[in-house]
Amino acid sequence: MAPGEPVSSFDPRRVRADTPLLRRVINERPITYLDSAASSLPPRAVIEAMSRYYEMRHANVHRGVYQTANEATAIYEGAREAIARFINAPAGANEIVFTKNATEGFNLLAKSWGHKNLKAGDVVLVSEMEHHANIVPWFQLREVNGIEVRFIPVNDDFRLDLTDIESLMEGVKLVSLTAMSNVLGTINPIKDLAALAHRHGALIAVDAAQSVAHSPSDVTDLDVDFFIFSAHKMLGPTGLGVVWTREAILDQMPPFLGGGGMIADVRVDGYTPANGPSRFEAGTPPIAEAAGLGAAVLYLEGLGMANIVEHERNLTSDALSRLASEFDGRVRVIGPSDTHSRGGVISLDVEGVHPHDVAQVLDQFAVCVRPGHHCAKPLMRRFNLAATARASFGPYSLTRDTDVLIEALHHALTMFG
Amino acid sequence: MAPGEPVSSFDPRRVRADTPLLRRVINERPITYLDSAASSLPPRAVIEAMSRYYEMRHANVHRGVYQTANEATAIYEGAREAIARFINAPAGANEIVFTKNATEGFNLLAKSWGHKNLKAGDVVLVSEMEHHANIVPWFQLREVNGIEVRFIPVNDDFRLDLTDIESLMEGVKLVSLTAMSNVLGTINPIKDLAALAHRHGALIAVDAAQSVAHSPSDVTDLDVDFFIFSAHKMLGPTGLGVVWTREAILDQMPPFLGGGGMIADVRVDGYTPANGPSRFEAGTPPIAEAAGLGAAVLYLEGLGMANIVEHERNLTSDALSRLASEFDGRVRVIGPSDTHSRGGVISLDVEGVHPHDVAQVLDQFAVCVRPGHHCAKPLMRRFNLAATARASFGPYSLTRDTDVLIEALHHALTMFG
Amino acid sequence: MSSLEDLYREVILDHYRSPRNRGELPSPPARRVEGFNPLCGDEIVVYLEVRDDVLVDIKLTGHGCSISQSSSSLMSAAVKGKPVSQVREIIANFKQLMMGHEATLGSDEAPTTADLRAMGELAALQGVVKFPVRIKCATLAWNTLAQGLDESD
Amino acid sequence: MSSLEDLYREVILDHYRSPRNRGELPSPPARRVEGFNPLCGDEIVVYLEVRDDVLVDIKLTGHGCSISQSSSSLMSAAVKGKPVSQVREIIANFKQLMMGHEATLGSDEAPTTADLRAMGELAALQGVVKFPVRIKCATLAWNTLAQGLDESD
Ligand SMILES: Cc1ncc(COP(=O)(O)O)c(C=O)c1O
Ligand SMILES: Cc1ncc(COP(=O)(O)O)c(C=O)c1O
């Protein structure tokens, strides 16, 4: 079964049965998990891959000669290969660097590639809908290098305002954009923007943290230059992130963190860094986490990314239309109101009820939504909001989850009305 | 039961029974795991704490209002408290920063504290027996700041040569030393060196990666300033490291990695970092790993660190005397030959047999030892070695492990003799 | 749903819907102090006017959840016109109340019924201690006020 | 213990104990190329002298495990005095042999018995493919030699 191809057997109820946490009962109700945008729920296969690793094969990787050390190394490097396949990396596993999360990935991008290649006045073009992970590292680089960080505005229809994009591209060396907003659900036209960036002689980095588990990822087809995401948002474990970049770029990037594993040689008077992804993987890496990620990739491939897209689009479409019709305009969706180029992340502004209180009331119904600025304060300011209450879907979500969400929202409105 | 106090019930066979990996059979022999210095084997309690976390409580931490998010946050912050207790941090959990491993910890130290507080000509004093994790970050800082990295020499008896320490201290702003060498097993007199450093107006950082699971850690009593280690060497999981430092120092350290979770505010024109440990924990942290580390601390406290010290000292003493008597000098220990101030890390130089081949032959006996430079190339150069074959003990080790090691070493000598 | 009603008592919802002492004071003479909860984005501005060691006036602006808003409103009603020393006492008592969760786990500092009665309407916030993440919401205004008083010393 | 003896065949131990073509060549005229395995610290220096497209002489120094040492010794014996084109062929064949592990998993490039016979003593290194971490040891000298030939082009 090729990754990304629909299989008729996709059944969210089976995914649900595979996911131990969904059996949790809270306040005498079964859990309604609507916070996959913050972190997804791993299936049993992922949890067991890690337990089995610790029970049977745990050892430090590299340099080991004995059996379990070889097995641990094979698991770790196997995860690299699985990820390379999953995102269709043109030169395979040699282009995959493991970090601790997507955020470290953006720091690696800014502090290694950016520090070397950008100088005062060079522009990094981000957007108003970026997560702090794709903003703060650039601000930090600005303090050091004097680069300019420029923001693509977001329209009132919650999409990038690309009217002036040609003039915004002036002086841009890197475009760094989210593939899908973790607040609005908006999916950005990355392929077009990659072509645009390249036409202007710039590179493009993609924040795939939100998109990677909810649509097929093909870095070759998108023709992008960096692709960064976290394992814990794709049914995998915490403690592991991924940076993909072209081999030719990776080879030219200076080291970032220093220590064991990233060197070719160390003398008392200096050191020589290693080649390949290891140069960026100082210290004992997240080995068990790689075992988990490898299993998560297999699981997602088994479901079929195209099936997931279709399933989540149906859920989103149903939820958006019911949210629009049920509440007489008292519940506003902060994001595109149709399912064209948008994913299953639904931010809500509930009239007269603060998002914190929305989430609190929903918790009594065992509904898990996240209140807050979602690490996107510039976007919040853009829409004059302090926070939203965000519901988001995963492959295990069902229309029933939306039912409970709506029931609980009614209760919140009554309570504070 | 107070941490560090011996309990009469300590029984390595029980620890063994608690450790699933030790049931592994390789080449028709039960595994003889002698590589705890590279990574320790987690007991079932640690593995299950993580599985249970994923099955019952997984959610992203902070900002969540719903039940499982609260539970996940409590687990994560609970691990911080457990560690603070375990190392006796004077101001508690507020002094504990979680990183991805000890190596990231040293990078945080060099790139945040060091970058701010050290200038050209200032000296960081390390030793010839340091792990690359405590060398390369200083070399990297030297490239940026022009600091001097000075090495305390190592004597022929495998201990720090402190004869000229007073003159070595000239210009030193930070002493950064390993508590226990991961090659020699040598335990350094940290408490004395802390007093010395402070007398010279310098701070002292301790690489506790090797010592933390093999002796009681008391940062208050040692009177040190930084204490850095990894969870995976103390029966905990991969993907998690710890930096302790005094609250007053932490408060003055500038941010390191930028992103979500480490900010107080982000505007399109700049950002304000958060206070406390969060300032250094950008992005989704290693939550499940913290659950594992919390369980590891409980487990170690249950065994009693003083019991572990005694047990491993007995094993080491027995192994050293048998290695000395059995091989007619053909097996040389690269490290102190008595158990005074040395731990259970035993590096071997086997006459006529390259460490790689030693490890390979030993693997046939299911004996796990590590060949290589152990990320301590300056030390290897000092003793004119390319590599050693290193055996190391854990709380689950038994004299039987030494029996098999010796049997296998005889085989290697015969084979290559 | 009993615990939810524990949190959102009528008094709290009332102060949320109709906050007391909302607005600004000219500063100077009033002092202006900002409080901020980075985790949820709640912001509060406290204006306080102290004359002859008496908190003669207090006003509040800002935005936040029902707990932070009602807590600040309840606070303003409780402290307005009181001598500063007594305001400090009320702040201390309130903080004690918010620590109830830990206090009841084995210390003798749990608030007694008499204590609670002395707090008047403020006691309505007692339910917050069962929701540890919300304690920061409830204490935001109080910490900001305390900071304002300290700055004036 | 059969697989251990698979790895450490007599030929290998013999070349390890008595390495052929050990030493240095004056350079120039010889070319001097260094090889390095950062993972285990093995180092090798290959001296090669090419005249009229023939590898007229080769010498080796360095240190490493029995596999890397015997492989370099076996290599030197196999290539010395051969035309460069043939040396390249031997290198390619050897690399093929080292990929045997993957090759036998479903491709048709596994070495045949005829291939192996053609390799002579070198075939003794075939056991290495069952120990994937040691493949780098076996190929170190070969990669260094290939690099030396390339640099001369
Ligand atoms: C003494 C010492 N310091 C630092 C480290 C680095 O630890 P990690 O690889 O977990 O970052 C190690 C372990 O390899 C070590 O033995
Ligand atoms: C769009 C986006 N980018 C980046 C991140 C950061 O991911 P992590 O916290 O795993 O580093 C997130 C998740 O919070 C996100 O939603």
Side-chain angles (χ1 to χ4, degrees), chain C residues 25-26 28-33 46-59 79-85 87-88 145-153:
Chain C
L25 289 176
R31 227 164 298 128
R32 182 183 184 283
V33 207
V46 179
Y47 296 84
L48 53 155
E49 201 173 329
V50 177
R51 238 176 310 156
D52 299 333
D53 280 334
V54 172
L55 182 58
V56 291
D57 204 359
I58 181 167
K59 293 256 186 224
V79 299
K80 188 169 158 177
K82 298 256 161 59
V84 167
S85 60
V87 172
R88 287 194 194 278
L145 173 60
Q147 193 191 323
L149 293 177
D150 288 350
E151 281 174 12
S152 70
D153 287 349

Side-chain angles (χ1 to χ4, degrees), chain A residues 21 24 35 38-39 51 55-56 58 60 62 66-67 71 100 107 238 258 265-266 284 289 363 370, chain B residues 21 24 35 38-39 51 55-56 58 60 62 66-67 71 101 104 107 238 258 265-266 289 363 370 381:
Chain A
L21 201 137
R24 183 77 195 265
D35 199 20
S39 203
S51 301
E55 287 165 8
M56 298 286 292
H58 174 62
N60 215 323
H62 307 311
Y66 56 86
Q67 178 83 10
E71 291 170 1
K100 69 173 171 179
N107 281 274
T238 57
D265 194 19
V266 177
T284 302
E289 291 79 357
D363 175 55
R370 190 154 293 248
Chain B
L21 201 138
R24 183 77 194 264
D35 199 20
S39 203
S51 302
E55 286 165 9
M56 299 286 291
H58 174 62
N60 215 323
H62 308 309
Y66 56 84
Q67 179 82 11
E71 291 170 1
N101 52 26
E104 190 195 345
N107 281 273
T238 56
D265 194 19
V266 178
E289 291 79 356
D363 174 56
R370 191 155 293 250
R381 285 223 169 74

Side-chain angles (χ1 to χ4, degrees), chain A residues 36-39 99-106 129-134 177-183 207-211 228-233 237-241 345 374-375 390, chain B residues 60 63 258-261 282-285:
Chain A
S36 293
S39 203
T99 59
K100 69 173 171 179
N101 52 26
T103 301
E104 190 195 344
F106 278 97
M129 66 167 81
E130 297 311 311
H131 187 279
H132 294 163
N134 188 23
L177 283 183
T178 190
M180 173 169 149
S181 163
N182 68 318
V183 178
D207 180 350
Q210 285 300 327
S211 66
I228 296 174
F229 52 99
S230 274
H232 72 93
K233 301 211 202 237
T238 57
L240 179 56
V345 171
H374 313 299
C375 298
R390 182 188 67 187
Chain B
N60 215 323
R63 269 183 304 276
T284 302

